[in-house]
Amino acid sequence: MISLVPVLLILTFSVFCPVKSADTLTALRFGTTSSDYIRFNFDMSPFRSSLTICTWVKRVSTANSNPIIFNYWANSVHEILMSAIGTYNRVVTDDVLDSSNQYFTTPANNWFHYCLTWARSTNMIQIFVDGQLVRTGQTSSYNWRDLHSSGELWFNRLQNSVSSQYVFGGELYMFNIFSVVLSPESIKKIAKGGLCFPLDEFSDSRILKWEDILTKSRTGRVTEVTLTVMDTAYVKSLKANLESLTVTLTRTQRELETVSNRLNQTELQLEAANERVNTTVEELATAKRNLSNTAEELTIAKRNLSNTSEELATAKKNLSSTTEELATANSNLSIKVKELDTAKRNLSTTVEELTTAKSNLSRTQEDLGTCSTTLTDTKEELAESRRLSNITKWDILYTSPYHNKILTEELIERLKSNWDVLSTFVGVNMTDTIVEHFRKHDVEKGDCDLEISDIIDMLEQLVEENNMTLIRGLISHFKENHNNLPCED
């Protein structure tokens, strides 16, 4: 079994810091009213883009709801706020880490280490308690700015309030502001180093120092408290840490015993492994022999591979030729596709022209039908005209009064009389109406069937169609041929 006594002694001496008889640790104890405070002006320009505030805090009373440790008042705003119970953790007035639920709690009359960091480059705020990161938050975009460089530093109260709820009323020690963001490892190192941890390695960035704060004027009940390594509260804290370490070491001892048992098991496993190694050596010798055979087979395989490589090279050449032919085919295909597109466009144009031609053909067929009808009528008129053009004066003998009849003196007289009547119509247009008149009054039956109304109608037609007047000759014709008929009227 491993002894833990030397380890405990080493840890005990590392917790209690070596303080010489002439050295003292000076803390400040604040009163419990808003009249007990420290206030002074300080040039905060070194912290305009980054800072770390670290301090040791001991709460004496838990009565106040928002005990303010530190308040930086600038440009009429609370530029920085730190409370003893985690309700206020504010930089550049941003309340992203303010919380009524408290981000951390600590028992009264015990020292704890409290750090607040901020960087303009990231706009991030972090809270550390006893070296451990408790919370991280990013400020709102409207607070992405530099820290105000001129203002008042207040301890133990809120600058513009006399309310007792903001009074800290406890003890502070080693309140320092650094001009950089200390790493989590550095913050943990300071916290674990205890109240007397030297800060020499951070001297370049420690701008506002605890030694300077101790020299500032105080208002009300703000008194110095001398601490030693045997400070009761601190010793209690150290004892608690020692007890925790003892528990840890006991747990570690049990773990070492477990490891020792596992080591014994490992020795047994190692012996078994040695046996397996011997077996493996024999198997390896066999494998070597097999390897030798395999080497021969490998030589044959290499020759085959060489032949295959040559075939592959030939195949690659063929593939290259095929690739070129394929590229040519693709090029020709592209040309044919373009020609096909052109043909499609021409076909579309031809279809449109064909549709127009069909429409024109339809109209032409209608016109042809009309022409055909007109042509038929013209043919009929032409035939009639030809027929009439062949009529001679002798065709009258084909009419019913003469055709197939015996020619007599009476028929000859009637024929002469009819031709004599025509002399009275000299100057008259021989229209269908005139011809029909002669035919109507030249039938075999007598003219006694002719009514006066028929004569009047005939005269009106003659006047209308021939635009003529009743000349004396024409009137005499009617008197001779129609008035002297053997009729009663």
Side-chain angles (χ1 to χ4, degrees), residues 213-470:
I213 296 175
L214 292 176
T215 65
K216 302 299 180 181
S217 62
R218 307 161 192 172
T219 301
R221 292 183 298 117
V222 180
T223 58
E224 293 184 2
V225 179
T226 301
L227 304 178
T228 66
V229 293
M230 299 306 294
D231 175 79
T232 302
Y234 185 53
V235 169
K236 289 181 180 179
S237 176
L238 292 177
K239 286 182 178 179
N241 290 336
L242 184 59
E243 290 174 359
S244 176
L245 289 172
T246 302
V247 172
T248 301
L249 289 173
T250 302
R251 182 171 63 252
T252 302
Q253 184 177 3
R254 287 196 296 268
E255 292 175 353
L256 287 174
E257 291 176 354
T258 302
V259 170
S260 178
N261 292 333
R262 290 179 179 175
L263 182 60
N264 292 332
Q265 293 177 0
T266 302
E267 289 178 352
L268 296 176
Q269 294 172 354
L270 183 60
E271 292 176 357
N274 286 332
E275 294 179 359
R276 288 198 297 272
V277 166
N278 293 331
T279 303
T280 302
V281 169
E282 295 178 357
E283 294 174 349
L284 181 60
T286 302
K288 284 183 178 180
R289 289 191 296 271
N290 295 334
L291 181 61
S292 177
N293 298 330
T294 303
E296 296 177 358
E297 296 174 353
L298 180 61
T299 301
I300 296 172
K302 284 183 177 180
R303 287 196 295 270
N304 295 334
L305 178 60
S306 177
N307 296 332
T308 303
S309 298
E310 294 176 358
E311 295 174 355
L312 179 60
T314 303
K316 285 183 176 179
K317 292 180 180 178
N318 295 335
L319 178 61
S320 177
S321 300
T322 303
T323 301
E324 293 177 357
E325 294 173 357
L326 180 59
T328 302
N330 285 336
S331 177
N332 294 334
L333 178 60
S334 177
I335 294 172
K336 294 300 182 183
V337 168
K338 292 180 180 178
E339 292 176 352
L340 179 59
D341 290 340
T342 302
K344 285 182 178 180
R345 289 194 294 271
N346 294 337
L347 178 60
S348 176
T349 303
T350 302
V351 169
E352 293 177 359
E353 293 174 352
L354 181 59
T355 302
T356 303
K358 285 183 178 180
S359 177
N360 294 336
L361 179 59
S362 177
R363 288 195 297 271
T364 302
Q365 287 177 341
E366 293 176 359
D367 295 341
L368 185 58
T370 303
C371 290
S372 178
T373 302
T374 304
L375 181 59
T376 300
D377 294 341
T378 302
K379 285 181 178 180
E380 292 176 356
E381 291 176 358
L382 181 60
E384 180 65 18
S385 175
R386 286 175 178 174
R387 185 184 64 80
L388 293 176
S389 66
N390 292 325
I391 295 175
T392 65
K393 63 183 179 179
W394 303 110
D395 288 334
I396 194 173
L397 296 178
Y398 286 106
T399 61
S400 58
Y402 307 102
H403 192 249
N404 290 327
K405 301 279 180 66
I406 297 172
L407 184 63
T408 63
E409 291 292 337
E410 183 180 358
L411 288 177
I412 292 173
E413 274 306 314
R414 180 183 295 181
L415 183 60
K416 288 180 179 181
S417 175
N418 288 339
W419 286 114
D420 290 339
V421 170
L422 284 176
S423 64
T424 63
F425 286 88
V426 174
V428 176
N429 186 16
M430 288 291 104
T431 65
D432 291 344
T433 302
I434 299 298
V435 176
E436 287 298 322
H437 164 71
F438 288 129
R439 294 182 62 189
K440 185 176 183 181
H441 298 95
D442 198 37
V443 293
E444 289 185 354
K445 66 180 180 177
D447 290 335
C448 291
D449 293 333
L450 187 63
E451 297 293 338
I452 297 299
S453 61
D454 294 333
I455 296 172
I456 294 172
D457 291 339
M458 182 188 68
L459 290 174
E460 289 177 351
Q461 291 177 0
L462 288 173
V463 171
E464 180 180 352
E465 293 182 9
N466 294 278
N467 194 21
M468 58 182 252
T469 58
L470 293 179

Side-chain angles (χ1 to χ4, degrees), residues 464-483:
E464 180 180 352
E465 293 182 9
N466 294 278
N467 194 21
M468 58 182 252
T469 58
L470 293 179
I471 60 176
R472 184 177 296 276
L474 191 57
I475 295 173
S476 298
H477 161 74
F478 284 110
K479 284 183 178 181
E480 293 174 359
N481 292 281
H482 300 294
N483 199 32

Side-chain angles (χ1 to χ4, degrees), residues 179-194:
S179 60
V180 298
V181 175
L182 296 182
S183 67
E185 294 76 15
S186 297
I187 293 174
K188 187 174 184 179
K189 182 178 181 181
I190 296 171
K192 294 301 180 183

Side-chain angles (χ1 to χ4, degrees), residues 9-157:
L9 289 174
I10 293 172
L11 291 174
T12 301
F13 282 108
S14 66
V15 171
F16 290 95
C17 54
V19 180
K20 298 178 182 179
S21 58
D23 292 338
T24 59
L25 307 179
T26 303
L28 288 177
R29 177 175 294 168
F30 294 90
T32 57
T33 70
S34 59
S35 300
D36 307 321
Y37 59 87
I38 293 177
R39 181 189 71 179
F40 59 90
N41 293 321
F42 192 80
D43 179 13
M44 298 289 281
S45 59
F47 315 113
R48 62 180 178 275
S49 59
S50 61
L51 59 79
T52 299
I53 303 175
C54 287
T55 184
W56 287 93
V57 182
K58 182 168 74 172
R59 297 174 60 202
V60 177
S61 173
T62 60
N64 299 337
S65 58
N66 292 294
I68 299 299
I69 296 173
F70 173 65
N71 174 203
Y72 172 43
W73 178 260
N75 284 27
S76 301
V77 293
H78 300 295
E79 191 75 340
I80 301 176
L81 275 180
M82 297 175 67
S83 67
I85 58 175
T87 52
Y88 292 110
N89 305 277
R90 187 178 300 183
V91 184
V92 291
T93 73
D94 199 277
D95 59 0
V96 64
L97 292 185
D98 286 0
S99 175
S100 58
N101 298 325
Q102 304 177 11
Y103 284 129
F104 61 86
T105 56
T106 56
N109 296 311
N110 280 336
W111 286 102
F112 69 92
H113 193 253
Y114 174 23
C115 287
L116 187 67
T117 71
W118 166 79
R120 173 66 180 88
S121 59
T122 60
N123 298 298
M124 301 297 292
I125 303 175
Q126 292 181 313
I127 305 170
F128 292 83
V129 175
D130 288 334
Q132 300 298 319
L133 178 63
V134 175
R135 199 77 174 182
T136 299
Q138 186 176 45
T139 61
S140 302
S141 58
Y142 52 81
N143 285 326
W144 291 356
R145 60 173 176 81
D146 292 347
L147 188 78
H148 293 318
S149 60
S150 177
E152 293 179 337
L153 280 64
W154 291 73
F155 293 86
N156 198 50
R157 62 168 279 181

